[in-house]
Amino acid sequence: MLPFSQFDSHGRLQHLITLEGLSNEQVRELLDRSQRYLRRPGEMPARGHALEGITVGNIFTEPSTRTRSSFELAARRLGADVINLEIMLSSRVKGESVLDTIYTLQAMAVDVFVIRDAEPGVGQFVAEHVQDHVSVLSAGEAHLSHPTQGLLDALTILQFKGGFRDLVVAVVGDVRHSRVARSAYQVFSALGVGELRIVAPDGLMPEPAEMPGTVRFSSLEAGIAHADVIMMLRIQKERMADAAIPDSKDYFARWGLTRSRLKLARPEAIVMHPGPMNRDVEIASDVADGPQSVIRQQVTNGVAVRMAVLEQVIANRNIRRAGR
Ligand code: CP
């Protein structure tokens, strides 16, 4: 068996499991496509016909508000049928395997599986077993990968900063357990961010060999000094033993992004957070809702990015089917 690839035999994206290995051009193409789906505030959302006749299946075994809703909206706005499998009401509870679930839905002509799972490797495993015309898109894999989040974060920075090369970007908080941070690292590496900082308490730092080329800080104040972009992360309690979970008040006192700490960054710095936020734990409420916050724009951009990714894998499938 050939090693797994997200790309088809012509080098076109078939699945999106990770941003690792995507080139600058491939990321730029997805960002360009996403920008076509952005609208000004108050305008009707973008729509299209690129997914007419296509069925998208959302299979989430971990909770989600943003990713699941935006994949569903993205698919519907491009004309697809959508099913959302309620895992706790599905036959998985009766012992049906992941693959039998996928084969069952594939037999109902699901063309794109959107998968979030707490177990590493599930997305790739499914991608290795589906039919050639089917695509698998990761909606978050354990602590490892959240590729559409990485793309929407890059799109947001492009929107507010116009580029990447001259920027200092600080990723702050529970980096160790964060799939958002890993996908951010991959997409920022492809795009050539000027300086990427990892800012975390010792216990929440990634392994030393991870994220080469970044600059590590174990002080929030030093890590955000003169930064252009501050990306705050939630403590991923669901991936930690109870004993290791920091006390919320202590954490906020040392690691919370407050208005006074934000003054250490560049005056025009933007504040990002993938959500869900824990207000007054990693980020003060008045910073989350303040003038430098672009958190809601990240959510808006998530729909555009997911439309672009869906459109791209279906366009590539149509090229494969036409034998070009
Ligand atoms: N950012 C993110 O993945 O949010 P959800 O868990 O709500 O999808």
Side-chain angles (χ1 to χ4, degrees), residues 4-8 12-17 54-57 59 102-103 105-115 123-137 310 313-314 316-318 320-321:
F4 174 74
S5 170
Q6 325 190 87
F7 299 96
D8 64 21
R12 300 185 185 101
L13 201 65
Q14 179 176 356
H15 309 290
L16 185 61
I17 306 297
I54 296 292
T55 303
V56 174
I59 304 181
I102 295 293
Y103 290 150
L105 296 174
Q106 194 175 248
M108 297 178 198
V110 170
D111 303 280
V112 181
F113 290 100
V114 178
I115 295 182
Q124 178 177 327
F125 178 67
V126 171
E128 285 169 338
H129 287 84
V130 290
Q131 291 173 301
D132 280 349
H133 67 276
V134 173
S135 291
V136 178
L137 307 179
L310 285 164
V313 296
I314 293 305
N316 293 346
R317 161 185 140 137
N318 293 340
R320 282 198 302 281
R321 288 191 135 187

Side-chain angles (χ1 to χ4, degrees), residues 60 62-70 116 139-140 146 149 152 179-180 234 273-276 306:
F60 282 53
E62 278 192 320
S64 169
T65 296
R66 281 147 282 268
T67 313
R68 197 178 102 155
S69 308
S70 59
R116 169 172 288 190
H146 195 349
Q149 179 74 45
L152 77 85
R179 55 191 173 209
V180 173
R234 177 176 68 88
H273 193 305
R306 286 158 187 141

